[in-house]
Amino acid sequence: MKKLLSMMAALALAFQTGHALAQSPESERHVLSLDDVDITALIDDVSIITGYTFILHPDVARTRVTVLSQAPMTTDEVFQVFLSTLRVHGFAAIPAGQGVYRIVPEQLAVGEAGTRSAGPNTFITQVFQLDTFGAAEAAQMIKPIVDAQGQVVANARSNSVVVVDYASNMPRIREVIQSLDQDDSTEVQTLALKSVPAREMADIITELLGSRDGNPVPNFEVSSSPTSNSIVIRGDNRMVVRAMEVARDLDAEEPTRDNLRVIPLNNAKAEEIVPVLEKLAATMADQRGPAENETPEATIAAHLESNSLIISASPDTLLSMQRVVEALDQRRAQVLVEAIIVDISEDTARELGVQFLLSGTGDSTTPFASTNFSRSAPNLLALAGALISPGGDFGGGDGGSDLGSAAINSLLGTNGSLIGFGGQSGDTLFGAVLNAVEEDTNSRILSKPFNMTLDNGTSRLLVGQNVPLTSGEVLGDANSNPFRTVQREDVGVMLEVTPRISSDNTIRMDIKQEVSSVDGVVGTTSQDLILNSREIETSVLADDGEIIVLGGLIEQSESTVNSKVPFLGDIPVAGNLFKSEGKGSTRTNLMVFIKPTIVRNRDDANRVTSRSYNYIRARELLREDAPNITVDQFLGEVLGDTPETER
């Protein structure tokens, strides 16, 4: 009885376990059998089986598929069959979230390929770094085995290949690239030269063996070491052996026969290089041993017309000098220095003057009294004289007409508010004039001098005038044979700069900036000129393209001028009738900014030139009466070309 109960319990447990496995999603089996049906029917069945959500591209609905299967498959196997079916018909499923996929054409899926594989039928992106083989050649060789919708991009700078393809095809692509990137046949050889300079030998070998039909030979490179006068050849065994043979044959010439060189210079001046080489030759002669004393001294000459050096020396001295010349004859960078000068001034003036006149005419016994100040206008005496003698009989002759002209000129020279009254009562003439003036002047001067100079070169820019200044004057006896000596001074905006470029593109500039002008003459008794000058002389550091401030000057001055009648002008309140008061205030603010820009090549020069040239063209285009751009026409007629403008 106990055995029967145990067998029944075991059978019950086995039934429960089998039922659980049948209900597990992982253990469920499915059969797909679809013959020439719309692809949406397949997608619907797969969605039911897997529980995934699919978003279809409009082109997907127009496709019909056939999937025939007799063996039951798990859920994962059904999904992989579904992805393979999409791949056959030119579609791919892209994950778009948890359990969500977008079904799009393959050409769209390539652009969204990730770096991790979601299955053999999904697009992935991988980067293959090459050590010895060229990236461009590797890309051409693996392109035939990449899917039609896949992509291969070669990066020559990093010598790498970027591949986008199905994950199932990546192992084969990786295997092909690894087989290509083998360095078994690459060899590196070094050859020390005795007669031929290393750089010249490297150019010869590269031109002779390093190119084929105008294209560089892959996996072949020749480098030069001027310090040791050696060349390094890298490539396959056959190419390296051939290059070494050619280099040895060229260097086999007897060194004593090659003791004369003519070296043309491209950037440096020959007359400036000669003293350097002469000191180098003297130093090398002092370092020779006793057995080498019979070596002739080096002779160095400069041919100015062709800017060339002619050197006659022993082979070792000749090679050393040539290395020095190559290092010195480099294209020097240029620096465009732009300065912005801002000068803001504000002048304020106030004038208040009172004049009065009391006088008798003819035989009148009325006393004469008047106040007249040079800073006040008009001239009250001239007005009174014109009034009492309109016909010209005052004082006889043409005095009346002269007084009338003086009165008119005095009235024309007035500023501000003018209030007056006057008249004649019997033989008594009286009058009073009140003149009030307030002036406020604001001005802003912007100047932008800029110039271009070589690194370690000095440039000077002046925009202004050359003014004569008296430096001495001599009179002879009885004022005979007088003569005057004059010196001339530059007045205007002056910028002088010496830039020096460091290895980290920091620019040190020794700057002298001056703004000067003519203020006027010293006074009525002297015609000597007064010059205003503001000058900055300094050394600064700036980065390429950085704007920095050099300095500033804020100046404010106030002046008060009072003219009054003694005692009467000091009376409170009433004293204002016997005086003229003028107040003036001047405030100036000068600031200088500077911006250096390094110009190393033609592209940099075109960029800075186009910026200034386009500014001039834009100013002409803004003119309403401009029918065309005259600066283009002028440069076209004079120079035959215009600068390259930015597009």
Side-chain angles (χ1 to χ4, degrees), residues 132 182-188 219 234-237 240:
T132 60
Q182 298 294 331
D183 199 21
D184 298 337
S185 61
T186 301
E187 184 178 353
V188 178
N219 198 24
R234 175 182 175 276
D236 58 54
N237 297 333
V240 171

Side-chain angles (χ1 to χ4, degrees), residues 260-263 274 299-303 306 308-312 318:
L260 182 64
R261 288 286 171 86
V262 177
I263 305 176
V274 170
T299 303
I300 307 166
H303 188 255
S306 62
S308 302
L309 294 173
I310 304 173
I311 305 175
S312 176
L318 195 62

Side-chain angles (χ1 to χ4, degrees), residues 398-611:
D398 295 333
S401 61
D402 293 340
L403 289 174
S405 299
I408 294 174
N409 293 333
S410 178
L411 288 171
L412 293 177
T414 59
N415 291 323
S417 176
L418 185 65
I419 302 175
F421 65 91
Q424 185 173 2
S425 177
D427 293 336
T428 302
L429 183 67
F430 62 90
V433 174
L434 172 64
N435 182 214
V437 181
E438 181 175 358
E439 295 181 350
D440 193 356
T441 302
N442 294 312
S443 64
R444 181 176 64 177
I445 301 174
L446 293 178
S447 178
K448 185 192 173 185
F450 61 94
N451 52 2
M452 179 101 64
T453 181
L454 288 173
D455 182 23
N456 287 317
T458 301
S459 67
R460 185 173 185 270
L461 175 68
L462 173 65
V463 180
Q465 296 176 318
N466 191 260
V467 179
L469 301 176
T470 302
S471 59
E473 189 173 6
V474 178
L475 297 177
D477 296 338
N479 199 20
S480 62
N481 191 25
F483 69 90
R484 177 182 299 174
T485 59
V486 176
Q487 67 178 13
R488 292 185 172 272
E489 295 286 344
D490 293 329
V491 176
V493 178
M494 189 272 291
L495 174 63
E496 183 176 318
V497 60
T498 303
R500 295 177 178 87
I501 305 174
S502 62
S503 58
D504 59 350
N505 284 344
T506 302
I507 307 170
R508 172 192 168 95
M509 293 177 289
D510 298 329
I511 301 171
K512 183 178 181 181
Q513 171 70 59
E514 180 180 348
V515 179
S516 57
S517 61
V518 178
D519 187 61
V521 297
V522 175
T524 57
T525 60
S526 176
Q527 297 300 316
D528 291 338
L529 299 178
I530 299 176
L531 300 182
N532 295 328
S533 180
R534 299 184 181 95
E535 181 178 330
I536 298 176
E537 188 169 356
T538 182
S539 297
V540 296
L541 289 175
D543 293 330
D544 182 18
E546 179 185 13
I547 299 178
I548 62 173
V549 61
L550 292 186
L553 174 64
I554 299 177
E555 180 182 4
Q556 182 170 352
S557 61
E558 296 182 358
S559 61
T560 302
V561 179
N562 289 328
S563 300
K564 63 182 179 179
V565 178
F567 303 111
L568 297 178
D570 297 330
I571 300 174
V573 183
N576 293 326
L577 300 176
F578 301 94
K579 66 181 179 181
S580 175
E581 185 179 67
K583 294 183 179 180
S585 176
T586 302
R587 179 183 175 91
T588 59
N589 188 354
L590 173 67
M591 300 193 73
V592 180
F593 303 87
I594 199 161
K595 174 187 175 183
T597 303
I598 300 177
V599 179
R600 296 189 181 276
N601 48 46
R602 180 177 179 181
D603 293 337
D604 293 343
N606 287 336
R607 186 177 66 256
V608 297
T609 302
S610 299
R611 185 178 61 190

